[in-house]
Amino acid sequence: MIRLRGLSCIYLLFLASIRLVPLVNASSASDLDDQCPGYNAVNVQVTETDLTADLILAGEPCDIYGKDIQKLFLRVEYQTDSRIRVRITDAFQSRYEVPESVFPRPKPAGNPFSPTIKFRFATNPFAFSVLRVETNEVLFDTENYPLVFAPQYIRLKTTLPANANIYGLGEHTDSFRLPIDRHHTTTRTLWNRDSFGISPGTNLYGAHPIYFDHRTTGTHGVFMLNSNGMDIKLRKEDGDHASLEYNMIGGAVDLYFLAGPNPIDVARQYAIVAGMPAEIPYWSLGLHQCRFGYKDIDEVKGVIANYSAAGIPLETMWIDIDYMDDRLVFTTDPNKYPKNQIQKVVKQLHEDDQHFIMMVDPAVGTRSGQAGAYDRGTQLDVWVKGPDGKPHVGIVWPGATVFPDWFHPSANAFWAEEFKRFFDPKDGFDIDGVWIDMNEPASFCYPPCNLDPEAVVDIAEVMLTLDNIPPLENVESESESEELNLNRPPYAIQNALPRLSDRTVPVDAVHHNGLLEYDTHNLYGSMMSIATREAMLARKPGLRPFIITRSTFAGIGSKTGKWLGDNI
């Protein structure tokens, strides 16, 4: 018989078939987090399909990575036969969560349904697990691992089988099956960055906090809807089990458990949560040619002609930022890529039933007059702001640049208008698709990055010194927001660069709606992709857009495709 210590037993029939079964509190682990008191569940309320409770700190706070929050709120929803949602957040203060406008939440199916997984919990101290209904196999289990919840740190940990087969947690270049080793912790860090060379074991361009756990008894999925920076750690523990641990530097716990029971089922269930894959044009399945470094339009013409001469069926020709005037977005080099010559190439491709794609970056050069997009965007005030309320100015290929704030109500309309001007089918460039780059967003600037918009930047010199990373202790912004240390959070995720703000928009930048880049950084690339899709649809309504983006967050596959970056 199992002895329950300090545990009130609550049993709830979900549709007369599902029980919330108490868990047993077990001994603590050896690391500091495992010595924390965790929480007790009180005021438990249940209905036919959900459960709510207050979580009260169960003892003296650990305050390891900031002051532990005293009271949390738990809600559990049985949403469909195969999906349970578990959400934990601050009971009193509103915390950042991924906006619905970026990631729409799936709606519960409604009654009646027969769940294939169930939620089990203990109250004192609080712990929970998710099990298969038919076999009682435990899929996720926080027993032994106290929940830690501070303003800038959340720790949630589950037990795994000893030789667990875990897949996902992208974007990474580790092995397909993530390694779990007794002598090494595998850490998947999710903080989008310009990761030239895509080094194994580091954070890359995308953040996808979804994993598949593949077992002989079936496959299930776990999705954490949180866009804050995080580490997800896999390790073998003492004994006959392994563990998976979330260390998140903000947001809330928002878990979706997907029952499977096979990999295809999990993929379909995840698509219902994150969005069905975007339909693509049939021609995009053909042979494509693209690379950086075509010196002029004549070289592009030669490549196309060589395909024809060799009898190779080229479907689509792509060009990189080489076409831009000094790499300013929405411009063309008048000498190497004259407008009329690009137009002739596009016209001929279309006459031959072929297609053409051009690259677009988010950063807009600040040269008034030369780059009309900058003047128009400035008039609309659509740039991401620094904490001083002025547009943040970084360094990208054209030199000093500003960045569209996709949370600004006029940003998408601004972007669509720039596409209408530059890619006009009659007077501009009649492109068939868009290749998005540098949208993590990338910048070649280390904090503090406080350029004047009219600053003249020698980009060649910047690139020569890009790897001269300032020592961490010598560069630290004083900027803080409501006692949160944005630039140096108490817990440091394993970002490949020392600071979260290195070579990107700084984390203390403020968006139009008051959201901080600290929280929304991993969404930037996806939001640009959404704006680009809208712009392409406005150009040619009714045609499926073809767009690939470098930086991504979960769910963007419902809008665009993904390319793998500078994977040399």
Side-chain angles (χ1 to χ4, degrees):
M1 178 180 293
I2 297 175
R3 184 179 181 186
L4 305 181
R5 187 181 67 188
L7 185 64
S8 61
C9 303
I10 300 174
Y11 294 86
L12 171 68
L13 291 180
F14 281 79
L15 307 176
S17 63
I18 300 305
R19 298 193 305 174
L20 298 179
V21 186
L23 276 178
V24 179
N25 178 51
S27 59
S28 61
S30 59
D31 61 42
L32 290 175
D33 278 332
D34 289 341
Q35 300 301 321
C36 291
Y39 290 80
N40 293 331
V42 300
N43 301 325
V44 178
Q45 304 290 324
V46 297
T47 70
E48 197 172 38
T49 58
D50 68 2
L51 173 150
T52 62
D54 295 325
L55 303 181
I56 308 298
L57 197 66
E60 288 298 317
C62 284
D63 296 340
I64 299 172
Y65 298 112
K67 294 183 178 180
D68 294 344
I69 294 174
Q70 293 288 325
K71 184 178 181 181
L72 307 174
F73 178 75
L74 164 73
R75 183 175 185 186
V76 180
E77 295 178 275
Y78 279 64
Q79 295 193 325
T80 71
D81 287 356
S82 58
R83 187 175 76 235
I84 293 176
R85 183 185 183 189
V86 177
R87 181 172 170 269
I88 303 172
T89 190
D90 193 318
F92 295 119
Q93 291 192 337
S94 175
R95 288 175 66 90
Y96 165 80
E97 296 185 55
V98 179
E100 283 266 358
S101 60
V102 183
F103 195 103
R105 307 305 194 264
K107 304 303 180 187
N111 297 333
F113 59 86
S114 300
T116 56
I117 52 176
K118 59 186 175 182
F119 180 85
R120 184 178 79 173
F121 75 106
T123 58
N124 187 18
F126 170 73
F128 74 90
S129 62
V130 174
L131 301 83
R132 291 203 185 279
V133 169
E134 185 175 357
T135 63
N136 275 329
E137 179 186 13
V138 176
L139 308 180
F140 192 97
D141 186 4
T142 69
E143 183 182 10
N144 300 331
Y145 305 123
L147 171 67
V148 181
F149 208 118
Q152 288 182 273
Y153 179 70
I154 301 172
R155 183 267 203 159
L156 184 73
K157 187 173 180 179
T158 178
T159 299
L160 293 175
N163 296 302
N165 300 299
I166 304 297
Y167 302 85
L169 304 178
E171 180 178 3
H172 64 78
T173 50
D174 293 339
S175 59
F176 183 44
R177 174 184 178 272
L178 291 171
I180 300 179
D181 191 290
R182 187 175 302 279
H183 306 292
H184 172 72
T185 298
T186 295
T187 301
R188 296 294 332 116
T189 298
L190 303 187
W191 184 256
N192 295 351
R193 71 180 182 97
D194 179 6
S195 47
F196 181 80
I198 57 172
S199 302
T202 67
N203 49 311
L204 304 181
Y205 306 102
H208 297 264
I210 166 80
Y211 73 84
F212 286 26
D213 185 341
H214 186 54
R215 306 181 183 182
T216 57
T217 53
T219 301
H220 67 276
V222 180
F223 172 51
M224 175 71 79
L225 180 51
N226 184 307
S227 67
N228 286 83
M230 69 178 75
D231 289 335
I232 305 171
K233 298 173 181 175
L234 294 161
R235 65 165 71 92
K236 267 199 177 159
E237 303 285 354
D238 293 335
D240 60 351
H241 68 279
S243 67
L244 182 147
E245 177 177 345
Y246 297 94
N247 301 132
M248 305 181 293
I249 60 172
V253 171
D254 195 356
L255 287 165
Y256 290 82
F257 293 95
L258 310 172
N262 64 57
I264 294 175
D265 291 329
V266 177
R268 287 172 175 159
Q269 292 155 9
Y270 179 57
I272 292 172
V273 173
M276 298 296 183
E279 290 187 305
I280 58 175
Y282 184 68
W283 59 261
S284 67
L285 301 175
L287 193 152
H288 296 243
Q289 170 63 38
C290 68
R291 75 170 176 86
F292 172 75
Y294 293 127
K295 66 180 184 295
D296 54 32
I297 192 63
D298 288 333
E299 187 174 4
V300 175
K301 292 177 185 176
V303 171
I304 298 169
N306 287 341
Y307 269 91
S308 181
I312 301 173
L314 177 65
E315 186 70 47
T316 308
M317 186 70 201
W318 304 43
I319 57 175
D320 205 305
I321 62 173
D322 310 288
Y323 75 84
M324 298 178 185
D325 185 14
D326 206 13
R327 298 179 173 178
L328 290 161
V329 69
F330 302 122
T331 68
T332 56
D333 187 316
N335 298 312
K336 297 179 180 179
Y337 284 86
K339 179 178 179 179
N340 67 326
Q341 293 300 309
I342 300 176
Q343 289 172 325
K344 286 180 180 179
V345 168
V346 178
K347 183 174 183 293
Q348 186 62 54
L349 284 168
H350 288 169
E351 288 176 355
D352 294 335
D353 198 24
Q354 295 170 294
H355 302 87
F356 191 65
I357 291 174
M358 298 172 75
M359 177 174 279
V360 174
D361 290 349
V364 176
T366 58
R367 294 176 225 172
S368 182
Q370 183 179 0
Y374 172 65
D375 297 322
R376 291 184 288 271
T378 299
Q379 186 174 8
L380 293 170
D381 194 31
V382 296
W383 311 128
V384 174
K385 303 294 197 303
D388 60 359
K390 298 177 181 178
H392 167 70
V393 182
I395 302 174
V396 193
W397 296 118
T401 57
V402 287
F403 301 83
D405 178 0
W406 306 114
F407 286 105
H408 193 289
S410 298
N412 285 24
F414 157 74
W415 200 246
E417 180 62 26
E418 294 307 314
F419 266 65
K420 180 180 177 181
R421 287 171 177 269
F422 192 69
F423 297 123
D424 181 78
K426 295 182 178 179
D427 301 323
F429 306 106
D430 190 12
I431 58 170
D432 301 289
V434 182
W435 180 12
I436 300 176
D437 195 19
M438 306 293 284
N439 60 331
E440 289 71 37
S443 177
F444 303 139
C445 202
Y446 292 101
C449 190
N450 301 314
L451 273 72
D452 186 282
E454 298 184 7
V456 177
V457 178
D458 185 341
I459 197 66
E461 180 64 26
V462 169
M463 298 310 294
L464 286 174
T465 60
L466 191 61
D467 290 334
N468 297 340
I469 303 172
L472 185 62
E473 63 273 17
N474 291 343
V475 180
E476 181 178 353
S477 170
E478 297 297 325
S479 175
E480 292 189 2
S481 173
E482 298 180 358
E483 299 183 354
L484 300 181
N485 193 333
L486 303 178
N487 295 285
R488 295 286 292 275
Y491 175 84
I493 61 172
Q494 294 184 29
N495 184 24
L497 293 165
R499 290 159 292 271
L500 297 177
S501 297
D502 284 345
R503 287 160 42 178
T504 188
V505 169
V507 293
D508 58 1
V510 184
H511 293 279
H512 178 82
N513 55 0
L515 294 181
L516 296 167
E517 181 67 10
Y518 177 90
D519 297 310
T520 65
H521 171 83
N522 284 338
L523 302 179
Y524 193 92
S526 288
M527 295 188 73
M528 179 190 177
S529 301
I530 293 169
T532 301
R533 180 181 175 86
E534 292 177 2
M536 289 292 283
L537 285 170
R539 284 178 65 247
K540 294 186 177 181
L543 284 183
R544 296 176 187 172
F546 179 76
I547 303 162
I548 63 168
T549 175
R550 190 172 80 173
S551 183
T552 55
F553 181 72
I556 196 54
S558 65
K559 306 295 184 184
T560 69
K562 160 86 173 113
W563 69 288
L564 301 179
D566 300 314
N567 55 344
I568 56 172

